[in-house]
Amino acid sequence: MKKTSLAFLFKRFFMLGMTTFGGGLAMLPAMKLLAIEQGWLTEEEWTDTVTLSQLVPGAIAINVVHLLGYRTRKHLGGFVSVLGMVLPSVIVIILVATLLQPWIQHPRVQGVLEGIFLAVVLLITKAWFDLAKVTQGKWIPLVFVGVMFTLVYVGIFNAMMALVLSLFLGLGLAMMPRRRR
């Protein structure tokens, strides 16, 4: 495999991040085409890369891009590839936030933001019900998620504080000895 420049990795993944819409799964065909055209992967290796990317935490597109960059230029290649992929989204978010700032107090903008907030609340509630199905009658995780959600929702905790507290509770529960049946 020929050595690929960091500039090439950044440019190609920046263009990919800028021109593909629909999330990580929608980006996979373009990534596959690039990886195979450049000789970075064979068809079989592509399948293995996507499979591995689905197994590790994180967005599949970011995981695949990192693995492609890592394969071509090790750690720095992975970093540059991910940076190229996410930078267009970051730029768009900053532009939208900047352009939206003068109208943030407008009633219609507030209505849209309230609608988004409601959608997030509903998605979290659905996740709570999905968790209830998975926990199969174990009440501690359900109560804890409900309490954390309520504390964040009413403004007593911020989301980061809830995440850190959840981490420590989860570690504590994982280290507790299990009762025998």
Side-chain angles (χ1 to χ4, degrees):
M1 176 172 52
K2 65 180 181 180
K3 191 168 187 175
T4 305
S5 75
L6 293 172
F8 180 82
L9 288 173
F10 181 85
K11 180 179 155 191
R12 291 305 294 260
F13 288 119
F14 185 87
M15 294 300 294
L16 198 62
M18 191 167 49
T19 58
T20 52
F21 300 97
L25 293 175
M27 295 177 163
L28 290 180
M31 288 181 202
K32 177 181 179 181
L33 183 65
L34 174 64
I36 291 175
E37 275 181 358
Q38 292 299 315
W40 298 336
L41 299 173
T42 65
E43 289 276 345
E44 185 177 327
E45 290 169 330
W46 170 256
T47 303
D48 293 343
T49 299
V50 172
T51 302
L52 179 61
S53 295
Q54 289 177 320
L55 294 175
V56 297
I60 188 167
I62 299 301
N63 293 341
V64 169
V65 165
H66 179 264
L67 287 171
L68 291 174
Y70 179 83
R71 180 164 176 117
T72 59
R73 292 293 302 265
K74 300 296 179 206
H75 294 291
L76 192 54
F79 174 76
V80 166
S81 297
V82 169
L83 183 63
M85 177 64 85
V86 300
L87 200 55
S89 298
V90 170
I91 291 169
V92 167
I93 290 168
I94 291 170
L95 283 174
V96 168
T98 303
L99 295 173
L100 190 62
Q101 193 61 39
W103 295 286
I104 198 73
Q105 297 303 324
H106 190 280
R108 287 189 180 164
V109 172
Q110 286 296 308
V112 169
L113 294 175
E114 287 173 14
I116 292 170
F117 180 75
L118 177 61
V120 169
V121 169
L122 291 173
L123 288 170
I124 292 171
T125 304
K126 182 189 179 324
W128 188 83
F129 281 108
D130 291 346
L131 178 65
K133 291 176 190 173
V134 173
T135 58
Q136 299 170 354
K138 296 177 185 154
W139 62 272
I140 292 176
L142 293 176
V143 170
F144 186 75
V145 168
V147 168
M148 283 295 117
F149 174 74
T150 303
L151 292 173
V152 170
Y153 181 77
V154 297
I156 295 173
F157 278 6
N158 65 30
M160 187 54 70
M161 187 183 300
L163 284 172
V164 170
L165 189 57
S166 300
L167 170 71
F168 287 118
L169 179 69
L171 289 172
L173 288 174
M175 292 177 1
M176 290 175 65
R178 304 240 184 241
R179 286 187 271 164
R180 293 188 182 180
R181 294 182 187 182

